[in-house]
Amino acid sequence: VRGLDGLADVPEAFVALSYLFGTEVENVRETLTAARFFHPDHPQILRLANTPPCDHPPPPRAPVAPDGGLEVRHPHQTNWHTDQSYRRPPPDVTLLFAVTTPPADQGQTLFADCTAALAALPPERRARLGGLTGIHAAGWIGRRPEDVHNGVAPHALLPHQMPQKQPLVRPHPVTGRPALYLCQSRQMDYVDGPIAELEPGPGGAGAALVEELLRHITQPAFVYAHHWRPGDLVIADNRCLLHAATWFDADTHAREMWRTTVMGNPGPAYAGEAKSWIPRDGHSPMQGMEDA
């Protein structure tokens, strides 16, 4: 969409397009989503903006890369993740639509190819990783490395807010190709994990493996940087990609993105499972939640 004269028809078209990629588009008002991210008129659209009422800040500015370009690697770029990996089943596809953007050399979104990154590892390494399980957790529940270091007690959680186990190597349900499936620290559980089969905690073997794999996945050879312009739409497959937002000058520029998440084909490992994030016993989806 170029030359936006107005947005009157865009939200409906955005939601309708999202349904082409799955059987269900998330209603963010019925899931574990803070109210400040709600689009005022369309419950399927999550609004990410540095303006009120959302006030979603940009990540820290990364150093310049050795070649003088945009630094993409972990840990210089922060919060590499795949959307809502702390749910079972996690969503399949994310659609991002740019409403207002800073200059194209700021506020990029990075996408890392976890299929290619896994394929680049030696066969014996891939085989060992295939037997491991990641423990994914929402960032607000007191299970991040800094929470553990600072002695923060993990939050008491309702059943639909609990961390969820996901395979570290996940076959794609359409292509059959395996991909690494993990996130940076704020979306993993460092109390019982982040790797279920390895020593837990920020100083454990599981944390060391996650750090090693993130450094591998985010090498420039596996990363695409999208430089946004208003009207751009990017469709990302959460089952085989990580993504990360980059810094922009939020004191000078506004940035507003709309997001939908689509479900319907997570793969046979999730077949027949009830959604982990659906409240039961009369609880509200928002009960016990803090802004994250």
Side-chain angles (χ1 to χ4, degrees):
V1 180
R2 291 282 176 231
L4 290 174
D5 297 321
L7 296 173
D9 299 325
V10 173
E12 292 86 351
F14 183 42
V15 172
L17 176 66
S18 300
Y19 275 105
L20 297 179
F21 294 91
T23 58
E24 181 181 352
V25 178
E26 177 189 15
N27 182 329
V28 299
R29 294 170 185 258
E30 296 178 352
T31 56
L32 300 177
T33 304
R36 66 192 177 101
F37 296 104
F38 292 172
H39 187 282
D41 302 314
H42 298 273
Q44 300 92 348
I45 297 176
L46 184 79
R47 180 174 175 265
L48 295 166
N50 65 317
T51 54
C54 185
D55 293 321
H56 187 57
R61 190 170 194 171
V64 176
D67 63 2
L70 177 66
E71 178 61 84
V72 301
R73 298 169 301 160
H74 168 80
H76 308 292
Q77 289 291 353
T78 60
N79 197 27
W80 280 100
H81 68 286
T82 184
D83 285 337
Q84 301 170 6
S85 66
Y86 46 83
R87 301 178 181 177
R88 275 190 71 98
D92 302 343
V93 174
T94 286
L95 290 87
L96 283 172
F97 176 74
V99 178
T100 305
T101 64
D105 62 348
Q106 300 179 25
Q108 304 94 331
T109 301
L110 310 174
F111 297 89
D113 184 346
C114 297
T115 304
L118 178 64
L121 294 173
E124 62 276 11
R125 181 69 163 152
R126 298 198 300 268
R128 289 196 298 270
L129 295 175
L132 300 179
T133 309
I135 307 178
H136 297 247
W140 57 271
I141 66 173
R143 291 173 176 263
R144 301 172 300 177
E146 57 265 38
D147 297 325
V148 177
H149 280 307
N150 294 332
V152 175
H155 292 211
L157 300 173
L158 296 169
H160 64 282
Q161 300 167 336
M162 296 296 292
Q164 297 297 323
K165 293 182 178 180
Q166 313 285 7
L168 185 62
V169 175
R170 188 177 173 191
H172 195 282
V174 178
T175 68
R177 299 181 65 194
L180 290 164
Y181 193 79
L182 71 159
C183 297
Q184 202 164 329
S185 57
R186 67 171 300 177
Q187 206 161 299
M188 303 291 284
D189 180 350
Y190 283 77
V191 175
D192 297 322
I195 304 297
E197 297 82 3
L198 300 178
E199 178 190 7
L209 177 60
V210 168
E211 183 74 12
E212 174 192 341
L213 291 176
L214 285 170
R215 289 174 184 267
H216 171 69
I217 294 166
T218 60
Q219 294 178 79
F222 303 130
V223 174
Y224 163 71
H226 189 77
H227 301 255
W228 292 98
R229 295 176 293 173
D232 279 0
L233 172 68
V234 170
I235 301 164
D237 192 329
N238 286 305
R239 297 163 294 191
C240 57
L241 295 174
L242 291 180
H243 63 270
T246 65
W247 173 89
F248 66 95
D249 184 356
D251 293 330
T252 304
H253 304 293
R255 184 179 191 263
E256 179 168 346
M257 309 293 294
W258 293 349
R259 190 188 86 187
T260 57
T261 51
V262 183
M263 295 155 276
N265 189 18
Y270 301 89
E273 284 192 17
K275 296 172 184 174
S276 70
W277 68 92
I278 299 299
R280 294 169 179 82
D281 301 324
H283 292 299
S284 163
M286 303 294 290
Q287 187 174 346
M289 181 174 176
E290 298 179 359
D291 266 5

